[in-house]
Amino acid sequence: MAGLAKSFGSGAMTNSIDEIAGNDLIFVIGSNPTENHPVIGAKMKRTVKNGTKLIVADPRRIELAEYADIVIQQKPGTDIALLNSMMNVIIEEGLEDTEFIEEHTENYEELKKIVSFYPPEKAEEITGVPADTIREAARLYASQDKSAIYYAMGITQHKSGTENVTSITSLAMLTGNVGRKSTGVNPLRGQSNVQGACDLGALANVYPGYQSVTDPDMKDKFEKAWGVEGLSDEVGLTVVEMFRAIDENKIKALYIMGENPALSDPDQGHIEAALEKVEFLVVQDIFMTETAEYADVVLPAACFAEKNGTFTNTDRRIQKVNKAVEAPGEAKADWEIICELSNKMGYEMDYNSTEEIMEEIAELTPIYGGVHYDRLDKEKIQWPCRDREDKGTQYLHKGGFIRGKGKFYPSHHIPSIEKADEEYEFIMMTGRMLYHYHTGTMTRNSQPIDEHVPDAYVEINAEDAEKMGIKNGDRVKIGSRRGEIETNAEIVETVQPGQIFMPFHFAESPANRLTMDELDPEAKIPELKVTAVKLQKT
Amino acid sequence: MKEIIIDGNSYKFDPGQTVLEVARGNDIDIPTLCYSEHLSITGACRMCLVENKENGSLETACTLPARDGLEVETDNDKIYDARKTVLDLILSDHPMTCMTCEANGDCQLQDLAYQFDIEESSYGSKKEDRFELEERNSFIVYDPDKCILCGKCVRADSELQCSDAIEFSERGFKTKVAAAFDEGLGGEDSSCVFCGLCVENCPTAALSYKPARKKGREYELRKQRTTCGYCGVGCQVELNIKGNEVIKVDSVYDDTAPNPDGEMCVKGRFAYGFIDSPDRLKYPLIKKDGEFVESSWDEALDYIADNLSRIRDEHGGREIGALSSARCTNEENYIMQKFMRAVMKTNSVEHCARL
């Protein structure tokens, strides 16, 4: 999101799910929608059946590739070179949108300079993608009236994640594909309320509505509204930084609500050591997760079906979550628990319902200013929605960018931290698969799903497998500089030789035991998509 | 203004509308089995026959375009007899096992049999099953004997989910809906992704949700619309509840939703068992001598409050961090960050957006 906010002034999907049907061209890069956002994946297939062009760029040959006009299988960690080269072709061949660039953007000369270093032949050396394929993709993307880009963690989970994203925003701006219906730059969010958690200030640098904690006016505003003094004007620590701070004795207590970092976070060995070490750990969850085992206190929470509230989806749409059943035992909604704790600590949080909380949110969060429960039952509301009369915003940056002018932030190719070498011959990518979700807390406790896909696996290219004498279903050992795990081999044609893919949902074969916590310096996202590993048959 | 005459009354219509759409838009009841406003139109079941007054012919209302001056009747003896004959023929190859059928109370065929008062088909009802039950997967059961070959499942699969996992196979009386090489939906060559849209569109119990079988009748279920708890698409779903247990998840059809045609995926449709899992946490637990011990809320919250206050007062709020959650609601994330900022005086409140 950092890259998107930097270029455009707002870190969210620019356009809407409903607009997919109107795309002339869909460019999917570093995202596997048919598995991770299946309803969006199906919509894309439907649109393509009706004649929309499709470019798919992913190291793996994902399902959508079967429907694509152009398939690109770039080497992991080479997205910038690929995108720079597409822009190189567009500028070389005069396919850019001069008017849009002049009117709505800045720093174009810098972009021109940097992408001039990436003619397709040179990009082919870096990305492994044939130069002519890059040319065709560039022409196809630039030649359509309404081209939209969709991406996900395949782009962001790199050391160069921010630059990957700004390369995407550059491509869209270069061709004038922002600020119009059915175009845009569209990050697909992986979890039910990841957009909302960001919007409502569960980020170390901003209050709700992306209002900076270092801005004295904001500090003042929230101190008044909350009736407190001394709010911190210092940016806090991000997830991976918190775990490092525990190492360094700089974090003594950790409160974890509905997260399972022992499985989801990189370099599992390190996370476990930190959970062990932290002086006081509270975990609030629906199950005794791998993380909860380390806690001093575990609090039972209600799940989504047992409480009221709202989620904000990937296209900024605020929708109601309605209580359907009673929570088990004495489990309570997360908000009730925090309020009770706060009351015990002498700061009164007295809300009778989640609707009252939303009223407070609306008052303090300009982009949610018009969000009221009575509207949500009958209207489609996408933020920014500033007041009751505001119908919300289907697509962003109409008639001009939120930050004024869109800014090109070009970057040279940034090599991944780890490369395959003699000892660690393979590059491992991690990700999700259709049937399971994140750390499996919910799906693995749902019988038909776990019956259908009961165990972890690693996808290995058929050529590699043959060379190593590995057959489908064989147990294999995978080791990185940080750890070793065992799992079942799944022989496929969809990953390229020298690469393997592993889902991270499974506690019995935790892919994150192998990954590293090296961060993108701006977005603080770890490089989970490129890990050098060795592979052997057990 | 262009107008069509239905049962003697004039109605305005939009270009491209069919007689069925105009009629339904004006609360005129025409029965259908194979029609869905979310799917293409095939005119297969013949239940929606209406009489074209220009020539007295019976035509399917779902395929008949509305045009200026067209006059149709939707209810007379001739139409009634024709519809009843169609229904009689369908029922002659349908097991009359409503007593134990999953769809009892939620079956369009049963409703029509009731409406047309057909207890037994006049051609003799089906006594013996002609097909085998297809249930070699964890999610969906297909009973070809109850299939009326309306094709809605095939269309939903192909037009909405775009999986092209199922098609009609064989001819004549042997016709059924099948996945690749007739190996079942879970077969090795099947492209089924278990989104459940076929079941959602089935007018009978030919297709049913396996985990929900024998768990409750339609009329025993309480329904609650909510937002799916999985990925960021935010599909609207309808939880079906019996007692305090979610027993199945149906589609919601709403143009303000990201899934207006009832689209869903296997997680939203089938991954709800965790809600009622016996392994759910039910009571606060405090670790004492390395073991978790059940406690009251008061005791647990006091314990937390004491420790957090102590650490905050000794070391400052910056030595306390919190992970909020991308799976919790907006309101909960707001409360968590407010708590950390206002009470702990730290901005170290994050969640797993970056993972």
Side-chain angles (χ1 to χ4, degrees), chain A residues 310 318 320 371-379 381:
Chain A
T310 56
I318 298 113
K320 294 255 293 269
V371 178
H372 302 283
Y373 272 29
D374 60 290
R375 294 183 74 182
L376 297 178
D377 287 329
K378 39 190 191 289
E379 285 179 69
I381 304 225

Side-chain angles (χ1 to χ4, degrees), chain B residues 249-289:
Chain B
V249 184
D250 283 340
S251 289
V252 165
Y253 301 89
D254 180 349
D255 285 342
T256 70
N259 54 334
D261 296 311
E263 304 99 309
M264 284 176 65
C265 80
V266 64
K267 289 189 284 285
R269 188 78 75 187
F270 292 106
Y272 53 82
F274 77 91
I275 300 170
D276 204 47
S277 162
D279 297 334
R280 284 285 300 276
L281 291 169
K282 296 182 187 70
Y283 305 96
L285 302 168
I286 298 177
K287 203 178 261 169
K288 289 176 183 162
D289 303 323

